Amino acid sequence: APFDRTGLPEVPTQAQVDIPLPHDFALQDLIDRVRQVESGGDPTAVSPKGALGEMQVLPTTAIDPGFGVKNIFTMANEMGIFIPTRGTDLQKAEVLLLKHPNLNQRFGTSYLSALLDKYNGNVAKALVAYNAGHTRASTWTGNRKDISHRPTETQEYLRKILPDEGY
């Protein structure tokens, strides 16, 4: 089945290409699972590493996401969200923007969708990239089910989001 992108924000580049998920759930279901595992659905969540909001986005990712994803300032501007720049340094501004629940969800959704595009619909690899960084996901070799060489946090992350996939 192709991605069901209904109601999701537009993602630049390959957003119009349907990529089959090897699972029986739509992209929105995946986003919901990620949001639940990342923050328990708490828009005020802050991780020990400084990731913010429901989608647990790092400020450094928000400012320079790559993969054709618009940065947090461009996205905020397009959504008509006030960008606090007067008397505020960029780091503080991006943190304030990531605390905006709708913007956080839109950014996290766009970023995860772009990662799915990058990894040709490989959900596990996209999730590793979202959780542990795209460099780690790009070096993933061998059996896709063998995640023993991943950090424990990433192994648990995959098991929680994809419990029926045998990770």
Side-chain angles (χ1 to χ4, degrees):
F3 281 127
D4 177 10
R5 294 181 186 267
T6 307
L8 297 176
E10 203 55 39
V11 179
T13 65
Q14 300 176 27
Q16 302 305 316
V17 178
D18 287 334
I19 300 172
L21 278 170
H23 310 287
D24 295 330
F25 51 85
L27 180 59
Q28 186 59 53
D29 294 326
L30 180 62
I31 301 290
D32 291 344
R33 290 177 186 205
V34 167
R35 185 174 30 245
Q36 190 59 39
V37 170
E38 286 285 357
S39 67
D42 180 0
T44 64
V46 180
S47 80
K49 293 183 181 179
L52 300 160
E54 284 186 279
M55 296 298 286
Q56 289 292 281
V57 177
L58 285 169
T60 53
T61 301
I63 203 75
D64 187 18
F67 313 112
V69 177
K70 296 172 184 171
N71 71 43
I72 197 78
F73 297 107
T74 301
M75 209 172 273
N77 187 51
E78 290 177 356
M79 292 175 70
I81 296 170
F82 173 73
I83 301 172
T85 55
R86 214 176 255 150
T88 307
D89 66 41
L90 285 180
Q91 276 188 325
K92 288 181 184 174
E94 67 196 27
V95 167
L96 290 171
L97 289 172
L98 284 171
K99 290 181 178 182
H100 189 287
N102 293 338
L103 182 56
N104 185 283
Q105 286 181 29
R106 181 171 177 186
F107 183 88
T109 298
S110 294
Y111 188 66
L112 181 56
S113 185
L115 291 171
L116 285 163
D117 286 346
K118 175 179 174 42
Y119 297 111
N120 299 315
N122 184 323
V123 176
K125 214 170 206 186
L127 289 171
V128 168
Y130 193 90
N131 177 256
H134 66 87
T135 303
R136 288 188 178 116
S138 295
T139 60
W140 188 342
T141 58
N143 182 341
R144 75 175 194 91
K145 298 280 187 193
D146 179 15
I147 60 169
S148 61
H149 59 287
R150 296 277 157 239
T152 303
E153 175 191 342
T154 302
Q155 292 177 40
E156 288 303 312
Y157 186 77
L158 284 174
R159 288 184 187 117
K160 287 176 184 175
I161 294 175
L162 304 173
D164 300 327
E165 295 300 315
Y167 290 103

